[in-house]
Amino acid sequence: MSQTYRTKVNNIYDFDLQQESIEALDSIQESANNYHILSKNKSYKAEIIQRNFNAKQYQIKINGTLYQIAIEDYLDVLIKDLGFEIGASKQVNDIKAPMPGLILDIAVKVGQEVHENDTLLILEAMKMENVITSPRSGVIKSVSVNQGDAVDKNQLLIEFD
C-alpha cells in the first residue's frame, strides 16, 4: 500500500503526494539544505530555509520564491478526522483511542502531573507503535486501561483533572 501525504502550500494549495512520486523525484542534494531538482526538463534550485519536524512545517525557497509547506501523513489525517486538532486539543480533558489497537505501555499514573507533549502511553495499531502524548499540561485524573488491553476506536484511555 502506497503512503499518501497531504501537502498544503502557502495555506492555499492542497496536493496529495504518493510515496512513489517522491522516491522517483530526480533530485541531488548539493549541501545540507540545498537541492537541485529536475522535473519535466526544467531545472529547479531548492533551499530549505526553516523546518519544524514536530509540526511538519517547512519554509522552502525554490528558484528564489519562498513557500510555506505543511505536510500530513495518514495518521495526521486520521487524528484530524477524529476531531483532535492542535488548537482544539488544548481544551481536551480526556484522551480517547484514535484507532483500535493494543496498549503496549502506560507512562503515567493517577495524580501525576504532566506537561504538554509528555508521553502518556504507547498504542500499537496497524503494526505500528503510536506514542500518545499529552495535548496540554495537567494532572491525570484516571487511567481507564491497563498494559496489554485491546482498545476500540474512541475508547476512553485517560482523563485529566
Side-chain angles (χ1 to χ4, degrees):
M1 182 166 94
S2 174
Q3 173 81 342
T4 300
Y5 297 93
R6 190 175 289 170
T7 307
K8 185 167 265 207
V9 178
N10 292 340
N11 217 18
I12 298 172
Y13 304 104
D14 290 314
F15 301 95
D16 284 341
L17 298 174
Q18 300 297 321
Q19 182 71 32
E20 291 85 12
S21 299
I22 296 167
E23 291 171 356
L25 187 64
D26 188 3
S27 68
I28 297 173
Q29 186 171 1
E30 295 178 330
S31 66
N33 294 322
N34 292 295
Y35 295 82
H36 183 255
I37 302 167
L38 289 174
S39 178
K40 298 179 184 174
N41 295 323
K42 285 185 141 183
S43 177
Y44 299 91
K45 291 273 186 189
E47 179 183 4
I48 300 171
I49 305 296
Q50 291 181 350
R51 62 182 105 203
N52 182 336
F53 290 113
N54 292 333
K56 298 180 183 171
Q57 296 180 347
Y58 304 86
Q59 186 178 60
I60 299 175
K61 188 186 291 186
I62 299 177
N63 288 351
T65 303
L66 206 55
Y67 298 95
Q68 302 295 329
I69 300 174
I71 301 171
E72 296 177 333
D73 61 17
Y74 170 78
L75 187 57
D76 296 323
V77 172
L78 179 63
I79 289 171
K80 186 182 257 185
D81 289 347
L82 291 171
F84 291 106
E85 292 195 48
I86 292 173
S89 67
K90 302 295 182 196
Q91 306 305 317
V92 170
N93 289 323
D94 55 356
I95 304 296
K96 295 182 179 177
M99 63 192 85
L102 180 70
I103 303 297
L104 294 182
D105 188 31
I106 300 173
V108 296
K109 59 185 178 214
V110 174
Q112 181 176 339
E113 185 175 328
V114 296
H115 299 285
E116 184 175 354
N117 295 323
D118 283 355
T119 297
L120 300 175
L121 56 85
I122 298 175
L123 173 71
E124 181 182 32
M126 299 184 295
K127 299 183 182 180
M128 292 178 55
E129 291 184 7
N130 301 286
V131 177
I132 308 296
T133 60
S134 179
R136 64 176 181 91
S137 295
V139 177
I140 302 300
K141 178 179 178 182
S142 70
V143 178
S144 302
V145 292
N146 296 306
Q147 186 174 348
D149 285 357
V151 296
D152 294 321
K153 179 178 173 180
N154 291 325
Q155 180 176 332
L156 179 65
L157 304 174
I158 294 175
E159 287 182 294
F160 286 93
D161 259 342

